[in-house]
Amino acid sequence: MSARPIRLGPRSIAALALISAIGVIAFGWPLLADAGSGLAHSADAPWLFAALLPLLVAVVVATIADTGLDAKAVAMLGVLAAVGAALRPLGAGTAGLEPMFFLMVLSGRVLGPGFGFVLGSVTMFASALLTGGVGPWMPFQMLSMGWFTMGAGLLPGPDRLRGRAELLMLGAYGALAAFAYGTVMNLQGWTYIGGLSTGISFHPGDPVHENLVRFLAYCAATSFGWDLGRAVLTVVLTLTIGSTVLKALRRATRRAAFEAQVTFETPDRVPGG
């Protein structure tokens, strides 16, 4: 019997939809703001962080309520978050070589989108505490990594696709999602970074499509190489040791008996009793 990703129930979907909607608004509102609105994300980051934590708990509670998971699932989530947080300092700051992204792709694939989102967010939070990377960008990183890991859990064929084909799919997803993560995080900082040339600067109040053209130029000029390093490392690790890690994760979820139904057997009647 193979381990299946933890399915999404209606309450899990509602919680993820709410937290994702808040995240999209948090990232995108400066594009719709006028010149005098004040665009420092440092002002809205504490509010976003305050909303994010209870919503992450809500996703976990909703997933448990929908699937009947127990403490073993939460414990596994904590272990994977700790491992991911420990991996991040190994490459952070070196051409985008961040091995934690590889683990998030495989973990999201095995655990499913709901727990994958929580895992990505909690891992980024733990790594920020570990590396001293706490700042106004942290809640945005938590959201971005949550989406990154959730996406792996939404990939097709979780029950049937195995072997080389699955690794190729995960590698392709990891490469694309690595660029997407960098692009989304660029949007968080680009709207209030000053001192850029006019060709790549954000102009508050300008039409959205004009600012988006400048934003793409900004990404190409400032972070393409960094995102490329992250994508290449994720692909290489997925194709070389991904099979071993997937087997280990699936074995762990099997032993934890995720989604196993609790049954009670009626004791045999004692003769003459």
Side-chain angles (χ1 to χ4, degrees), residues 220-241:
T222 61
S223 67
F224 178 81
W226 188 279
D227 294 338
L228 179 63
R230 179 190 301 123
V232 169
L233 181 63
T234 300
V235 172
V236 170
L237 291 177
T238 299
L239 296 181
T240 53
I241 62 174

Side-chain angles (χ1 to χ4, degrees), residues 58-216:
V59 173
V60 175
V61 172
T63 305
I64 291 173
D66 286 336
T67 61
L69 296 177
D70 58 16
K72 292 180 290 186
V74 180
M76 184 173 179
L77 188 72
V79 170
L80 288 173
V83 173
L87 284 175
R88 192 182 182 202
L90 297 180
T94 308
L97 302 180
E98 297 174 279
M100 70 174 290
F101 283 80
F102 143 78
L103 179 63
M104 294 299 102
V105 170
L106 302 188
S107 298
R109 174 67 169 175
V110 173
L111 290 175
F115 261 45
F117 184 92
V118 177
L119 173 63
S121 299
V122 172
T123 300
M124 188 57 72
F125 176 67
S127 69
L129 297 179
L130 185 64
T131 61
V134 177
W137 54 84
M138 187 181 70
F140 295 93
Q141 287 180 324
M142 292 172 64
L143 278 167
S144 300
M145 185 58 74
W147 287 328
F148 180 98
T149 313
M150 180 178 70
L154 293 171
L155 292 173
D159 297 329
R160 301 175 304 278
L161 190 62
R162 293 290 187 270
R164 193 68 177 173
E166 182 180 35
L167 291 179
L168 289 173
M169 179 183 69
L170 292 175
Y173 170 80
L176 293 174
F179 279 100
Y181 173 88
T183 301
V184 170
M185 283 307 302
N186 282 341
L187 183 60
Q188 178 265 331
W190 173 68
T191 55
Y192 63 89
I193 293 176
L196 300 175
S197 67
T198 56
I200 60 174
S201 296
F202 174 62
H203 295 175
D206 277 10
V208 173
H209 68 277
E210 293 182 8
N211 270 322
L212 287 178
V213 171
R214 298 187 191 101
F215 175 63
L216 292 177

